[in-house]
Amino acid sequence: MNAIHARPIAVCCLALALVCLLITGSACQPTARPAAQPSPVPATPTPAKEQTLAREAWQGSPHANTYDEGKGPNTYCARCHSPLNWDPAAVVDAAPNCVSCKFAFDPQLRIAKGNPPVAKEAWKNIGCEVCHRVTNGVASGTPTWLDTRTGYHETVASSTDLCAKCHTDTATIRHARDIGTQAHRTFACTDCHDAHSTVANCTASGCHDAMPGTIRGHDSAHAKVNCVACHDAAKMEVGPAAEGGAWATFRTTELLGRKTRAAYQSHNVQKAVDCARCHFAGNPWKLSVQGGAAR
């Protein structure tokens, strides 16, 4: 082959080598196996997914099942228990049949003319639309309060203000939750309670360790003692519940001349506790006698 023919061939070979270098970065060397990639980070839940999870949490909550004859499945009590069933014209009748309900000591439901009972199948509970504006099946993330008298949502300053629309005291009922002036005085309701399941737990919330054993009273001997049974600052009654035996706070209410003692979760808590509250001389549970504050 003469020099004239060899020059074009050499130029072509050089060009081909340059092309390979640009393509592979290794002058036509075998392609390297790609490095292992880390597992993808889970995607942030979409609004639709978040709403599905919220609805599932709500379905297992007390707000999804408020029908209770003893608490008044009627058009008066429905203002809070089932706002879409509420009749603003409903009134409290004279005793003894003040509202349509069934006390534990009643053999059958009492019927009051001023607030007739609502059939269970017609009861609405406390649905999404009570606390959120719902448009085309999608709930707004901003909490509001549905005024069923007007059909419009009322703006609220916070989740606590929303809860207080129902959890409040009136002349006839006590539904307010007093957080007192101690440990939780600056807390909002949803700082402890899940907004949809309403579940609250001192340890699951991430605020407190579970029975660390390094603090007096936080040991296996107190494993069945509810946190507020020791840390209640409202001076409620303390004792074991009839079912399960777990220790809790109790309150006694009186209605129609009858007193009822029932477990009631105190929201007014403090850091320091007085062991003598339960461990006093002659206590009915035969606990050892102790005194002094535990922190």
Side-chain angles (χ1 to χ4, degrees), residues 48-59:
K49 180 63 173 179
E50 289 177 349
Q51 293 205 34
T52 298
L53 294 174
R55 184 166 184 81
E56 289 175 351
W58 169 83
Q59 287 175 333

Side-chain angles (χ1 to χ4, degrees), residues 36-118:
Q37 297 297 315
S39 301
V41 177
T44 301
T46 62
K49 180 63 173 179
E50 289 177 349
Q51 293 205 34
T52 298
L53 294 174
R55 184 166 184 81
E56 289 175 351
W58 169 83
Q59 287 175 333
S61 77
H63 287 171
N65 185 23
T66 60
Y67 190 90
D68 185 332
E69 289 185 340
K71 294 181 179 178
N74 57 66
T75 56
Y76 178 81
C77 297
R79 182 192 180 281
C80 289
H81 290 273
S82 185
L84 295 180
N85 291 113
W86 179 48
D87 178 5
V91 295
V92 176
D93 289 354
N97 293 353
C98 306
V99 293
S100 297
C101 64
K102 181 179 181 295
F103 299 112
F105 47 79
D106 282 333
Q108 60 186 12
L109 183 71
R110 299 185 183 207
I111 306 297
K113 294 180 180 180
N115 39 78
V118 179

Side-chain angles (χ1 to χ4, degrees), residues 227-238 249 266-270 272-273 277:
C227 299
V228 299
C230 287
H231 293 275
D232 165 57
K235 298 182 179 180
M236 289 188 173
E237 301 173 57
V238 179
T249 46
S266 172
H267 285 63
N268 184 353
V269 297
Q270 60 190 352
V273 301
R277 187 174 185 177

